[in-house]
Amino acid sequence: MTSVLGVLFDGVTYGCLLFVMSIGLSVTMGLMNFINLAHGAFAMVGGYVCVVAMTRMGLPFLATLPIAFAASAVLGVILERALYQRLYRAPHLDQVMFSIGLVFVAIAGATYFFGPSQQPVVLPSFLRGQVQVLGVDLGAYRLFLIALVTMITAALHFLLVGTRFGAQVRASVDNATAAAGMGIDVNLVFAVTFALGSGLAGLGGGLGIDVLGLDPTFPLKYMVYFLLVVAVGGAGTIKGALVAAIVLGVFDVAGKYYVPQIGAFFIYFLMVVLLLLFPAGLFGRRT
Amino acid sequence: MKKILLAALGCLLVALPAWAQETIKVGIVAPFSGPFAEYGKQFDAGVKAYQKLNGTTVAGRKVEVIIRDTGGPSAEVAKRLAQELVVRDKVDFLAGFGLTPEALAVADIATQAKKPMVVFNAATSVITTKSPYIARTSMTLPQISAPMGVWAAKNGIKKVYTLVADYGPGIDAETAFRKAFTAGGGQVVDSVRTPLSNPEFAPFVQRIKDAKPDAVFVFVPAGEQGIAFMKSFSERGLAQAGIKVIATGDITDDHVLNAMGDSALGMITTFHYSAAHESPENAAFLKAYNEVAPNAGRANFMAVGAYDGMGAIYEVIRKLDGKIDADKAMEVLKGYKAVSPRGPIMIDPETRDIVQTIYVRKVERKGNELWNVEFDKFENMKDPGKQP
Amino acid sequence: MSVTASIPFRLPNDHWRPLEIVFWLLPVIAYFIFPDYLVLASQILIVGLFAVTLDLILGYAGIISLGQAAFFGVGAYTAGLLAVHGWGEPLTGLLAAAVGAGIVGFLTSFLVVRGQDLTRLMVTLGIGLMLFEAANKAAFVTGGVDGLSGVVMWKVLGLFDFDINGRTAFWYTLMVVFTLFVIARRIVNSPFGLSLRGIREGPRRMPAIGSPVPRRLIAIFTVSAAMAGVAGGLLAQTTQFVGIDSLGFPRSAELLIIVVLGGVGRLYGAMIGAAVFMIAKDYLSGQNPVYWQFWIGILLIVVVLFGRGGIMGRAEALWARLRRRA
């Protein structure tokens, strides 16, 4: 029985990590209807910022996380205003090709500055090893991840539901033209949301170094997973991304634990099935 | 008087081209860009190191190295490049081959064009059977995995859980290890094959922990996967639970070993080359390597494969006095012996594959860096993948 | 400002324009001028055909696919396995490749006809990835990551052996590619092709004029898959090897880039894009690889933001401007 709990725990953690990295993509996709394959690049930037902050500035791991968030957010705003906003009304193919181009540039840049190999990260000692909870050995870092993601989800929920800005975002997601007609500064909403999404991606990238590793091909390797979460969960909702991320995380880990022969196969199969049943995603709104 | 001098000069100038060396061309086909770029870099450094120590002229001919990049495991590109090297550049030798598909695809060209082909790295057993003109100076996976099985059985490890990446090399390693280990009286309690591009080892490592073996035998692609596995391993406390990690030396590849950090300490591996090998040949090699590739990190087995490959090529040129004929070249290569930076090597006259010493090493920290320190060995190991 | 912008509207007809004849004479001339580059030329033709198949579904039917390599790979393995197991006749091998890939394409098409762009993208991507894993798992059949070797081909038409200079392979490839291109051209310049363009531009409006959208999409998807299978089979037969990278995601992604750079929605754009891309890659592969990726990225961004319709689009705009001046 403990193995089931263990698998669930690992799956939920993996899902939480996917969630943090994908939530930004889900909201921006829902908001701007923009297929952004370069989302992983923002996560990668966050990861490298953490590494640089730790090695060159000597900061402890936890302190680098807010910096990663900020750096990715700023980069997001700059790129959004300069490039992305020109393509909001463009056909999806253009958006896909543009974001692929951006990914290539990001990968080439990362290789040039940091080299092609893995970046090491040293976690603070209280986050290493395992902790005994109810008789089950749980990884300390993973507990930390779950706690952090819970807080972020709560904060995001409050932001969307309890603040005026959140209301503006929800209005713009539902109907940008009408929202603009109501006097909402839709451009500002887009910019801030994109920044927030990119920042969260950067945070996820930093958090994920220990679990997923960090090298220049990160955006391409994990692009599939982000898109998976967004496509399955339905773009534009936090709930969708969270549920999809956790479902995918749990099934991936469970599949690998119980039936390792089909390993990676299972998650793609699951995705295809879910997309067939829910073409707009589990909680998707756009038809 | 002037006329005679001019005439003499003219004669000399005419004679010079005839006198001038016919260059021997060696075409190297390998990945120099993309995810396997490191392979090409190591080959390049190994070749340059050899030429630094042994010169670029043999038997009065200049040896010219032509490099072609496959960009990754693209068989069609490798085959095209080899064809162009043979038809356009008129090379005398085909060499390189970091990955198995490259070698397999080019085998036909070697046979059709009758050119000796020296494999610097690709490690699948079947490669040397694909053409009578192939010789290998690297290793094969069964050759390095089987000794680990033998050693583990002899050294108190009774129950092993195997974890390998689900692809050709991984399966080869698992099969060879299992065969040797069970023959030595050991028991493989369970085995798992991980997906090729696996980001998360947690579920697999958890399974291992639940099975409580004495050791886990691992084979995953070197670099990121190796690091990820070891991280998962130490995070989950398997080392504390007394489970050892035994593996082939691919996972503690000299080039990436330091990046693995302390989580790699204590790993026991079997392999044919360690940069910590103490011999005058290795010292000379490492010195030359550092001179030709100053910021390239540590030399690894691929550089040695290229280094020894060039050694074999030079021997052929020397013995045939620069007139390269494929059948005669293979006669020279069969039974070729040398003292490589790794130890003694020989090319098996029957299979044209490499026969060498496989060392058992442990990862230890010496000074600031991690090294694979050799403490046991198996001499004159042939490729068990070819024995029935 | 779009990669698919300004496709000039012409009523479909089957007249061969003089430039097209010139285009198809180029490979023939290349045979005589570049006798040492025949293998590269053959591979360019194969990638060109492959790009045409993607253009059929992307440029004409509007399906963004990141999984076209799946059909290429199925065709390659079909032709390769046939040869490995004793039947090395080239043309029937290609036929088998077409049928195999066509079947897979047909079955897959049902997953692709519904859903929005992102869903279709993910489904095609997922299918490509699943097939890759399956091919890896079935290594006892496909050779897995090590690849399928031992593909022994018989003589083409019983007369021409595949020689090391690549001459037979070149003519064989050229004939097959030309034939399939003519077929694709015919499809595109027909009422059916016109309806595909209608579907791409207004999928909700088409049913209003009685056009059965799903059926058309299934048809073109299957045809495109079968042709991609032939391209894969050609590669398998001319290189006598099948690598698992035939199915891989990088191949699909690279193909998408080729089609976009060449000009979406123009068959010749796909072929020209393939030629330019492969020649540039071959030439630059010696140089610093990081630069290659960087510049391709920049090029894509620039093409999307400023280019109209890729190389062909630009060429046509220039041609139109010159003609206006004349």
Side-chain angles (χ1 to χ4, degrees), chain C residues 179-243:
Chain C
T179 312
L180 286 180
F181 187 89
V182 168
I183 296 176
R185 190 177 170 286
R186 198 71 196 77
I187 292 176
V188 153
N189 284 335
S190 70
F192 175 75
L194 209 52
S195 76
L196 288 177
R197 271 184 249 192
I199 293 174
R200 192 194 74 230
E201 285 168 20
R204 271 178 260 258
R205 280 179 248 153
M206 286 304 281
I209 60 166
S211 184
V213 172
R215 233 189 294 161
R216 301 277 155 113
L217 288 178
I218 291 174
I220 194 65
F221 200 82
T222 309
V223 168
S224 153
M227 284 193 182
V230 172
L234 269 175
L235 189 68
Q237 293 182 341
T238 52
T239 54
Q240 285 109 44
F241 189 85
V242 184

Side-chain angles (χ1 to χ4, degrees), chain A residues 42-216:
Chain A
F42 292 102
M44 179 177 77
V45 165
Y48 276 111
V49 165
C50 278
V51 169
V52 167
M54 277 195 292
T55 53
R56 311 252 174 106
M57 296 198 260
L59 291 173
F61 176 66
L62 289 176
T64 64
L65 292 176
I67 304 179
F69 177 88
S72 295
V74 167
L75 184 66
V77 170
I78 297 175
L79 285 175
E80 196 264 340
R81 288 286 100 191
L83 300 172
Y84 277 90
Q85 71 164 349
R86 294 169 202 260
L87 293 170
Y88 284 152
R89 289 195 214 294
H92 280 155
L93 176 63
D94 288 26
Q95 298 171 345
V96 167
M97 299 318 293
F98 167 77
S99 47
I100 288 183
L102 213 56
V103 170
F104 279 7
V105 171
I107 294 179
T111 317
Y112 181 74
F113 288 115
F114 297 101
S117 31
Q118 281 286 310
Q119 295 296 327
V121 68
V122 181
L123 293 175
S125 46
F126 68 89
L127 283 181
R128 280 185 252 162
Q130 298 200 303
V131 166
Q132 268 251 349
V133 173
L134 302 174
V136 188
D137 281 326
L138 301 175
Y141 189 67
R142 284 160 200 273
L143 276 170
F144 167 69
L145 270 178
I146 295 188
L148 192 63
V149 171
T150 315
M151 287 196 301
I152 291 176
T153 316
L156 278 176
H157 184 77
F158 175 70
L159 181 72
L160 265 193
V161 167
T163 67
R164 183 145 174 221
F165 178 73
Q168 292 182 339
V169 172
R170 279 182 290 132
S172 307
V173 170
D174 278 342
N175 192 327
T177 328
M182 300 280 285
I184 296 178
D185 186 349
V186 175
N187 277 337
L188 185 66
V189 171
F190 279 16
V192 173
T193 316
F194 196 87
L196 192 62
S198 314
L200 282 172
L203 177 67
L207 284 172
I209 304 179
D210 192 61
V211 179
L212 301 175
L214 178 68
D215 67 46

Side-chain angles (χ1 to χ4, degrees), chain B residues 2 169 385:
Chain B
K2 259 201 213 163

